[in-house]
């Protein structure tokens, strides 16, 4: 049995004081609930199930006082008058019993989550200790992109909620552009295998039982191209024929709504009226980020006359009024308003700004200060760095997530939202994001206690639950393969740029043949222990297969880069070799996709391989 000092906890609690005793666990013992039975029973049952699964012991649940003649091993006390912060808890394990106290049900639930992690590491007895814990941020969330090709099955979403709740995440958003089954707009989602109203009702109920707020998310200004490219909606487009991008290149076709067309707001009103009744949350993320085409089309004259920032803000305020009429609090991405800092003080104080940024050096300090000075409530929104990467970008993710927590706490952010996008086909597998979820959950719960957490070890213990201690290090290191080729390309990697572009990709000069061969050896060595993993999860074999295909995709990119660098990319043997690798990856990718996701969008995801390394 490990000592209290040796326990691996994720997130690590704010305070843990070990003692010398230990609590021997017995079969047919009792859990005593003190407080409101209706609120306590589901939490007590969670502990009961944890004891059954980890110790193979059966504990009974009773309500009332722990009498001396009862064989009591755990007392759960819900006391609103207890001097414990919201969502916080006090957990004491002695030689006699477990005492867990909280002032609200969420805190009691999080104490059980910590207790479950302790039970997972012990057999027959628990080390004595006292834990006092509470979160830095009241809202700690994950936003999952379900619009870039990949729409998870309801069963996959249930499993994700379980994983997130175990990490004390209490806010979940599913980012939608066109993948909710709106009643009056079937042509938009017809090929997307959308999430239905009944799906949301069931998921919302599932989340509430685990103290997770399911927050509706519908982009409402930019990123509306799936709608606007259809004849029925094209008249609402700002720039029907495309627009220039701020970093060069063009968007081909419509992208954002025309803020001056009355039909734009009418469309949003119809969408909100259909979507929002399925959610119990009173918050609503309306997006409104990356309005790249604003001022390049139908609103050009108005933007030239009044300023692009003013035109943007006016439409944002109209959406705000609409959201209020639907009885919700509006959340929105803060990137565009930050381009016009003089307008930030004009934001209504019942809006919540979402300050997003995904690089390790993102200026959260400066941007958080701007919202704080204006008295605008805000969340910090770092990312998993998994999208556009194949295996993730570990070092970037960890630093981005840490700095967001540091600066958000410094400036008084209300919440912390981990974003997990699916740009360009969402070809990364869900477990690639586990590292980002875990790090973000730890930093947002207690940065001081988790800033130096041993992430691979914590991932093995409580995310992958790998008894062989393989997966944590494998995921961490494979996610750093992007750094070994000698050149980083910001939000993307050399690997993904190469697979997108194909044999014509111009490798950066820093990507030498030696570095590519070293990277190939590194990927092989890192992935080699995969078959030794012993994950105590229902989807353990699936995770192993997903990481095996992740390694194959990385190796395909490295082999293609080597062929470009050595000048053999046009040779028939090289083409056949790359096509053979791609064929295996494609077959596996389709199988693995269906294991977690609905079929709509699968063809969009496979193009990264099919387009350049398909049949020959």
């Amino acid at each position: 049995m490990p000592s209290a000092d040796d326990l691996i906890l994720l997130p690590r609690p704010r305070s843990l004081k070990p003692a010398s005793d230990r609590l021997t666990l017995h079969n047919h013992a009792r859990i005593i609930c003190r407080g409101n039975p209706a609120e306590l029973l589901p939490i007590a049952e969670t502990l009961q199930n944890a004891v059954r699964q980890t110790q193979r012991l059966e504990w009974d649940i009773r309500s009332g006082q722990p009498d001396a003649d009862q064989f009591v091993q755990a007392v759960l006390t819900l006391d609103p008058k207890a001097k414990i912060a919201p969502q916080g808890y006090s957990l004491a394990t002695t030689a006699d019993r477990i005492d867990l106290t909280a002032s609200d049900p969420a805190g009691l639930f999080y104490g059980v989550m910590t207790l479950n992690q302790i039970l997972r590491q012990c057999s027959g007895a628990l080390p004595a200790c006292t834990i006092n814990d509470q979160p830095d941020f009241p809202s700690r969330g994950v936003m999952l992109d379900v619009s870039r090709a990949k729409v998870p099955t309801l069963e996959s979403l249930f499993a994700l909620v379980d994983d997130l709740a175990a990490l004390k995440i209490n806010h979940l958003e599913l980012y939608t552009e066109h993948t909710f089954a709106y009643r009056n707009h079937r042509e938009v989602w017809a090929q997307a295998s959308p999430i239905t109203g009944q799906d949301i009702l069931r998921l919302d109920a599932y989340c509430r039982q685990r103290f997770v707020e399911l927050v509706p998310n519908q982009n409402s200004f930019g990123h509306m191209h799936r709608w606007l490219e259809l004849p029925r909606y094209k008249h609402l487009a700002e720039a029907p024929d495309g627009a220039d991008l701020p970093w060069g290149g063009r968007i081909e076709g419509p992208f954002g709504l025309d803020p001056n067309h009355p039909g734009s707001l009418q469309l949003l009103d119809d969408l909100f009226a259909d979507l929002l009744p399925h959610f119990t949350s009173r918050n609503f993320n309306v997006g409104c980020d990356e309005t790249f085409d604003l001022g390049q089309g139908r609103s050009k004259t108005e933007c030239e006359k009044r300023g692009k920032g003013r035109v943007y803000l006016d439409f944002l305020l109209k959406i705000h009024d609409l959201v209020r009429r639907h009885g919700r609090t509006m959340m929105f991405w803060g990137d565009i308003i930050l381009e016009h800092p003089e307008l930030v003080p004009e934001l209504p104080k019942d809006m919540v700004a979402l300050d997003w940024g995904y690089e390790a050096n993102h200026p959260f300090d400066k941007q958080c200060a701007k919202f704080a000075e204006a008295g605008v409530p805000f969340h910090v929104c770092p990312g998993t760095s998994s999208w556009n990467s194949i295996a993730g970008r570990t070092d970037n993710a960890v630093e981005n997530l840490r700095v967001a927590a540091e600066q958000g706490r410094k400036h008084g952010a209300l919440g912390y939202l981990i974003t997990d996008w699916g740009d360009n086909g969402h070809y990364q597998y869900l477990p690639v994001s586990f590292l980002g979820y875990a790090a973000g959950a730890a930093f947002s719960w207690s940065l001081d206690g988790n800033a130096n957490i041993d992430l691979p070890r914590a991932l093995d213990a409580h995310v992958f639950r790998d008894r062989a201690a393989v997966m944590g290090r494998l995921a961490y290191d494979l996610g750093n393969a992007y750094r070994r080729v000698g050149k980083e390309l910001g939000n993307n990697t050399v690997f993904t740029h190469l697979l997108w572009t194909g044999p014509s990709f111009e490798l950066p000069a820093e990507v030498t043949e030696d570095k590519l061969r070293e990277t190939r050896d590194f990927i092989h060595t890192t992935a080699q222990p995969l078959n030794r993993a012993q994950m105590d999860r229902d989807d353990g074999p699936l995770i192993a297969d997903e990481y095996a295909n992740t390694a194959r995709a990385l190796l395909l990119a490295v082999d293609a880069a080597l062929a470009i660098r050595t000048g053999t990319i046009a040779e028939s043997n090289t083409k056949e070799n790359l096509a053979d690798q791609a064929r295996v990856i494609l077959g596996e990718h389709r199988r693995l996709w269906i294991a977690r996701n609905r079929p709509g969008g699968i063809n969009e995801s496979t193009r990264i391989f099919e387009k350049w390394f398909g049949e020959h």
Side-chain angles (χ1 to χ4, degrees), residues 176-210:
T176 54
E177 295 172 0
H178 68 295
T179 50
F180 178 76
Y182 288 104
R183 288 174 298 177
N184 300 323
H185 306 278
R186 181 176 292 271
E187 65 268 48
V188 177
W189 51 260
Q191 304 301 316
S193 301
I195 295 172
T196 68
Q198 183 171 331
D199 290 338
I200 293 297
L201 291 170
R202 292 182 62 194
L203 183 61
D204 190 86
Y206 197 87
C207 286
R208 289 198 310 274
Q209 293 169 0
R210 290 150 183 82

Side-chain angles (χ1 to χ4, degrees), residues 389-391 427 429 474 478 481 495 498-499 520 523-524 526-528 530-531 541-560 577-592 609 613:
S389 72
I390 301 177
Y427 44 82
Y429 300 114
L474 187 151
L478 207 60
F495 305 132
L498 174 63
L499 293 180
R520 196 178 204 288
I523 295 167
H524 269 300
T526 301
Q528 190 273 331
L530 185 58
N531 61 359
L542 175 60
I543 292 173
D545 287 349
E546 288 169 326
Y547 262 100
N549 218 38
T550 295
R552 289 187 193 101
L554 289 174
L555 291 172
L556 171 62
V558 172
D559 285 351
N577 176 264
L578 295 174
D580 287 344
Q581 291 184 56
R583 229 171 270 124
V584 173
I585 294 167
L586 283 167
E588 276 293 275
H589 189 68
R590 289 181 176 275
R591 180 181 72 84
L592 297 171
F609 307 114
F613 304 112

